[in-house]
Amino acid sequence: MKKFFALLLALVMSLSLVACGGGDTANEDTSTDDTATEENGGDTATASDVEIAVVLKTLASEYWGYVKAGCDAAAADLGVTVNVVGPGAESEIEQQVSMIEQQIGAGCDAIIVAPNDAGAASGALASAIGSIPVLSVDTNVGIEGQTSFVGTSNVDAAKEGGLWAAEQAGEGANAVIIYGQEGDNTSNMRREGYQAACDEAGVTVLDALSGQNTTDGATKTMEDLLNAYPDQIDIVLCHNDDTAIGAMNACKSAGVDDMIIVGFDGNASAVDLILAGEMVKATVAQQPYEMGYQAVEAALKAIKGETVEEVINAPVTVVTAENGQEYLDSLAAMQG
């Protein structure tokens, strides 16, 4: 955990800032430290005057819980108020747009968004550009005038996972890709990375279908793929860990027990399966906790008028049976 440091404000705010929270309280969390103050030229300002909104894709998943934990930790360390909200599912695009609009309308000092749909999020954020810092986390909104993007190159990360699977399966293997929601930018980039890995390693991609970002959706998709390509599939490259679990469930139901399934996100549930010797053999682990922390940190710098990099890269690792326990230990430490 990063050390707590005192918040230094360059200017004393002339107006009292109102809370950055929407009318929709579902899936919402607020982290704040009201006691931190710092003198600036003889004046004082409470750190909790700074209020940052974070609108994630959802709070109903393990992965986004880690992002939220990082945001909460930054709020405590930096002494600022951070309101974290998210819709009930990643498919709830309109609900996320409404949350973005609510947070901006309530008067936050900066907003951080992980868009479910980049185009829809851009439209909702347009009014904030030039007025407050606007940042993306995990998935890039890509709106003109955006302050910063904090996240991972999904293309490069997926390619790492694909190359690992290709090495395990050997030359001449066949793969299928189960990507995420149709039109989702993150899904497109991960699919691109998997395809690039297969092309480079000489692996044939038999098909690529959407699993709708869910375990049940991926189960149905994998059933269709097994029926279309019986006894031909060696590798399943998945959009996320929920998708990987769905693919595994379909394989088990079909009596298949020798598949190499690769997930994405590094969720503890997937790593547990890897360590147990299940067909989920690897997961491409981002650093969601660190991304959440860095996004809040960058937003605060922007509020203070400091220079913020346009892209802040977060590293990835391919978690396998060899490093899985070490990775789980690190996740436990992040959660305190």
Side-chain angles (χ1 to χ4, degrees):
M1 186 72 61
K2 299 185 178 180
K3 295 181 179 179
F4 179 93
F5 59 88
L7 172 64
L8 181 62
L9 294 176
L11 297 173
V12 178
M13 294 182 178
S14 57
L15 297 175
S16 176
L17 301 176
V18 296
C20 182
D24 187 346
T25 58
N27 291 316
E28 181 170 353
D29 178 82
T30 301
S31 298
T32 180
D33 183 343
D34 294 329
T35 62
T37 62
E38 182 67 29
E39 293 189 2
N40 182 19
D43 296 323
T44 61
T46 59
S48 58
D49 282 342
V50 176
E51 304 187 0
I52 299 169
V54 181
V55 184
L56 300 179
K57 292 190 177 187
T58 183
L59 291 181
S61 82
E62 183 181 332
Y63 176 81
W64 294 107
Y66 290 129
V67 178
K68 175 185 174 297
C71 293
D72 292 345
D77 286 355
L78 305 178
V80 297
T81 299
V82 177
N83 299 310
V84 183
V85 300
E90 292 188 28
S91 60
E92 297 291 342
I93 296 171
E94 291 184 5
Q95 186 182 9
Q96 187 186 50
V97 166
S98 177
M99 287 179 168
I100 293 170
E101 292 172 343
Q102 288 170 354
Q103 297 299 312
I104 294 171
C108 55
D109 298 302
I111 186 165
I112 301 165
V113 176
N116 286 327
D117 181 279
S122 293
L125 290 165
S127 64
I129 294 292
S131 299
I132 60 174
V134 174
L135 299 88
S136 302
V137 64
D138 180 84
T139 304
N140 200 353
V141 174
I143 186 172
E144 185 176 354
Q146 175 179 272
T147 303
S148 182
F149 165 59
V150 181
T152 300
S153 168
N154 281 285
V155 175
D156 294 343
K159 185 176 180 180
E160 286 190 37
L163 288 174
W164 181 89
E167 183 179 0
Q168 307 309 305
E171 187 176 353
N174 293 323
V176 294
I177 299 172
I178 302 181
Y179 56 87
Q181 190 168 306
E182 295 285 359
D184 175 66
N185 192 40
T186 296
S187 174
N188 293 339
M189 289 187 290
R190 292 179 185 178
R191 180 179 176 182
E192 178 184 344
Y194 282 141
Q195 183 69 57
C198 291
D199 291 344
E200 182 176 316
V203 171
T204 300
V205 176
L206 298 173
D207 209 342
L209 296 175
S210 171
Q212 302 300 321
N213 283 349
T214 66
T215 299
D216 290 343
T219 298
K220 177 62 171 64
T221 296
M222 190 65 205
E223 289 171 350
D224 293 342
L225 289 167
L226 289 169
N227 288 329
Y229 305 98
D231 302 319
Q232 298 177 57
I233 304 170
D234 304 299
I235 301 168
V236 186
L237 302 171
C238 299
H239 174 71
N240 57 23
D241 288 336
D242 290 341
T243 301
I245 292 170
M248 179 190 70
N249 292 341
C251 287
K252 285 187 173 183
S253 295
V256 176
D257 60 5
D258 59 350
M259 197 72 70
I260 297 172
I261 301 174
V262 176
F264 202 115
D265 284 342
N267 290 343
S269 53
V271 181
D272 285 338
L273 292 172
I274 292 168
L275 294 175
E278 294 283 0
M279 281 180 281
V280 179
K281 301 299 184 184
T283 177
V284 181
Q286 301 180 87
Q287 303 296 325
Y289 179 96
E290 189 67 16
M291 276 192 277
Y293 195 107
Q294 288 181 328
V296 171
E297 196 173 45
L300 179 57
K301 288 181 179 179
I303 291 168
K304 293 160 62 177
E306 298 178 11
T307 301
V308 177
E309 295 180 5
E310 291 184 7
V311 177
I312 300 173
N313 288 312
V316 299
T317 186
V318 179
V319 180
T320 66
E322 284 68 36
N323 61 358
Q325 189 56 56
E326 179 183 358
Y327 178 77
L328 285 180
D329 293 342
S330 72
L331 288 183
M334 288 177 189
Q335 295 177 310

